[in-house]
């Protein structure tokens, strides 16, 4: 995976949580149906992206340390 792709995924993962909170607030204010389901879905996506970033970083760090030896 390229650095650019990793950076994009990482940025999305970092901004997804505040966006989910913001949307949750707006959806509740406007009484939009399925607010809980929408925000839970966004949180699940953000959790997945966070885990993906952690795995990618761990793999990169392993490769970088192997190159150092």
């Amino acid at each position: 995976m390229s650095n650019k792709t990793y950076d994009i995924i990482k940025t999305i993962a970092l901004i997804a949580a505040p966006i989910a909170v913001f949307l949750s607030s707006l959806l509740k204010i406007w009484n939009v149906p399925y607010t809980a389901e929408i925000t839970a879905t966004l949180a699940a996506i953000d959790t997945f992206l966070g885990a993906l970033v952690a795995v990618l970083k761990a793999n990169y760090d392993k490769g970088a340390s192997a190159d150092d030896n």
Side-chain angles (χ1 to χ4, degrees):
M1 175 177 295
S2 72
N3 285 340
K4 184 177 180 179
T5 304
Y6 172 82
D7 289 340
I8 290 170
I9 293 171
K10 183 178 175 184
T11 301
I12 292 170
L14 289 172
I15 64 171
I19 289 172
V21 171
F22 174 72
L23 285 176
S24 174
S25 300
L26 286 181
L27 295 174
K28 286 179 185 177
I29 290 169
W30 289 97
N31 295 318
V32 174
Y34 305 107
T35 297
E37 290 84 352
I38 293 168
T39 54
T41 301
L42 291 173
I45 292 168
D46 188 38
T47 301
F48 172 75
L49 289 175
L52 180 62
V53 167
V55 168
L56 292 172
K57 182 173 181 342
N59 287 341
Y60 176 80
D61 290 344
K62 256 192 242 181
S65 66
D67 291 342
D68 291 342
N69 292 333

